[in-house]
Amino acid sequence: MGYRIAIVGATGNVGHEMLNILAEREFPVDEIAALASRRSLGSEVSFGEKTLVTQDLDTFDFSGWDMALFAVGSDATKKYAPKAAAAGCVVIDNSSLYRYDPDVPLIVPEVNADAIEGYKNKNIIANPNCSTAQMVVALKPLHDRAKIKRVVVSTYQSVSGAGKEGMDELWDQTKSMYNPTDDVPAKKFQKQIAFNVIPHIDVFMEDGTTKEEWKMVAETKKIVDPSIKVTATCVRVPVFVGHSEAINIEFEDFLDEDEARDILREAPGIMVIDKREDGGYVTPVECVGDYATFISRIRQDSTIENGLNMWCVSDNLRKGAALNAVQIAEVLGQRCLKKG
Ligand SMILES: NC(=O)c1ccc[n+]([C@@H]2O[C@H](COP(=O)([O-])OP(=O)(O)OC[C@H]3O[C@@H](n4cnc5c(N)ncnc54)[C@H](OP(=O)(O)O)[C@@H]3O)[C@@H](O)[C@H]2O)c1
């Protein structure tokens, strides 16, 4: 016996990956509904070998559905997630709306699966920001061994993190560079993204950080340990899919780079590719379609007492969103909503 699952935002980047991953991992599904806005009513999406016809989220009745995986922005989530939850359907949400709500668990299954029991408070579970998800998978096993004091992270985030419109803008601007009669002004991003990098994701906060940077700080504390200090610089780069991060970690105790490499090799969700030779590391184009968070360039930071540097790459539409949401659904099914 399987579950009745609704995919909310099935026509988007993350929704599309959710459908792929549920099929790939043979999630026990009895019935699946693809939901999006009225604009997409009747359009088709693939679920494994099957084709699903998209339904209108606005008129959908969630009664009798076990789980709804939401991948629409915060505004639509605010309107529809409470309706689904009130109908008894557990919401697993990809937007930032509920992440900082103390009554809503924020889950990365490799790190804090036990917190899932908190879903009962509101029938809602939050999925973290894409940059946080891949970073905490790598931080947790190191924190368990040597206690992390402080993290300094710089991100190199792909345009798919800004949805399908972000991908279109990079594609159109890149083409227009070779055809000067086409002018594609910046719309989704604040400046030209083709052949450029932009040190600005989401809105500015009062202290000069951006909301994306603030999210990495707040979410790492909620998921891993409130005592960890994090400072982040989040940058958009002209890459279609795959986020990269340069991470500097200061530990309470000494941790040798070889031991760190061994710990990460054993850690769930991590793949270490770390050869000190040309090409002996992972770049974002190589992580697309993969489940793993890839760690490379692990090395001691000799400028501080107990420091390490590393390079972290993952598919933002997978571990950063859809895969993590499906993993949450798997834990929920196994621990809380058993069938059969
Ligand atoms: N991309 C990432 O790396 C990433 C990572 C973590 C979290 N997230 C979050 O996941 C969510 C989706 O991101 P995405 O990248 O998949 O965006 P996207 O490609 O732009 O897709 C947005 C989806 O939401 C639907 N939608 C938007 N407004 C709606 C409304 N009022 N009613 C019903 N459906 C509506 C769209 O339907 P139509 O096609 O009908 O317009 C589409 O299916 C966002 O909250 C985002 O912040 C994204």
Side-chain angles (χ1 to χ4, degrees):
M1 202 177 158
Y3 296 88
R4 298 183 77 212
I5 307 277
I7 303 299
V8 183
T11 52
N13 277 339
V14 175
H16 176 80
E17 286 300 327
M18 284 171 167
L19 288 163
N20 287 340
I21 292 168
L22 286 167
E24 280 165 25
R25 293 168 77 94
E26 298 180 351
F27 189 89
V29 169
D30 269 0
E31 193 177 352
I32 189 154
L35 310 177
S37 76
R38 199 157 293 160
R39 292 181 292 274
S40 305
L41 185 66
S43 65
E44 294 181 344
V45 292
S46 297
F47 172 57
E49 301 288 293
K50 293 190 186 129
T51 299
L52 309 176
V53 177
T54 308
Q55 304 176 52
D56 181 5
L57 170 62
D58 196 48
T59 54
F60 188 76
D61 180 3
F62 286 93
S63 317
W65 291 79
D66 297 297
M67 304 179 203
L69 275 56
F70 269 66
V72 290
S74 291
D75 290 346
T77 303
K78 196 173 190 173
K79 187 165 174 195
Y80 299 106
K83 279 190 189 169
C89 174
V90 182
V91 170
I92 300 171
D93 179 33
N94 270 280
S95 80
S96 58
L97 187 67
Y98 294 105
R99 289 180 195 155
Y100 319 109
D101 182 333
D103 290 331
V104 173
L106 177 63
I107 303 288
V108 174
E110 294 89 343
V111 180
N112 65 339
D114 290 347
I116 202 158
E117 295 292 335
Y119 88 91
K120 290 173 188 148
N121 297 332
K122 290 196 171 171
N123 246 7
I124 297 174
I125 301 165
N127 207 55
N129 178 266
C130 35
S131 302
T132 310
Q134 67 184 69
M135 183 172 80
V136 296
V137 173
L139 293 185
K140 171 70 172 155
L142 303 176
H143 184 58
D144 287 346
R145 159 65 182 81
K147 199 156 190 327
I148 295 173
K149 280 165 64 176
R150 178 171 185 256
V151 174
V152 182
V153 56
S154 300
T155 70
Y156 306 75
Q157 297 182 220
S158 68
V159 293
S160 57
K164 48 193 178 183
E165 288 172 12
M167 296 178 85
D168 289 345
E169 191 158 312
L170 173 59
W171 177 245
D172 293 339
Q173 270 181 8
T174 305
K175 282 188 299 178
S176 78
M177 295 289 154
Y178 299 98
N179 185 359
T181 55
D182 289 350
D183 180 29
V184 182
K187 201 166 136 205
K188 188 74 187 169
F189 302 112
Q190 302 82 359
K191 297 203 178 202
Q192 174 191 315
I193 185 63
F195 305 102
N196 201 8
V197 298
I198 306 172
H200 177 186
I201 302 178
D202 210 330
V203 295
F204 274 99
M205 313 281 286
E206 246 174 44
D207 66 356
T209 61
T210 64
K211 188 86 182 279
E212 186 81 355
E213 291 156 357
W214 177 86
K215 285 174 188 170
M216 290 192 80
V217 176
E219 294 176 21
T220 302
K221 286 176 181 290
K222 183 165 175 177
I223 298 166
V224 188
D225 186 336
S227 73
I228 297 178
K229 291 179 185 166
V230 180
T231 180
T233 302
C234 293
V235 180
R236 188 74 69 192
V237 297
V239 167
F240 281 103
V241 179
H243 285 1
S244 308
E245 298 174 342
I247 307 176
N248 175 268
I249 311 170
E250 184 178 2
F251 296 94
E252 196 99 29
D253 304 322
F254 179 73
L255 180 59
D256 175 73
E257 61 188 25
D258 292 329
E259 189 185 349
R261 205 172 287 113
D262 289 344
I263 290 170
L264 289 168
R265 275 192 217 287
E266 297 297 315
I270 297 281
M271 179 84 77
V272 176
I273 308 278
D274 192 16
K275 294 186 187 143
R276 293 176 176 180
E277 60 187 38
D278 290 355
Y281 41 81
V282 172
T283 59
V285 292
E286 295 155 302
C287 78
V288 177
D290 237 302
Y291 289 158
T293 292
F294 293 92
I295 303 294
S296 310
R297 306 282 331 272
I298 301 164
R299 62 210 190 273
Q300 227 77 49
D301 172 6
S302 58
T303 65
I304 49 174
E305 207 176 341
N306 299 321
L308 277 183
N309 283 305
M310 61 189 190
W311 175 247
C312 173
V313 173
S314 198
D315 182 330
N316 53 295
L317 299 177
R318 291 203 155 212
K319 187 58 197 169
L323 171 63
N324 198 69
V326 172
Q327 288 176 300
I328 293 172
E330 289 169 347
V331 176
L332 187 70
Q334 286 152 11
R335 297 193 186 187
C336 314
L337 304 180
K338 284 204 179 73
K339 292 266 180 177

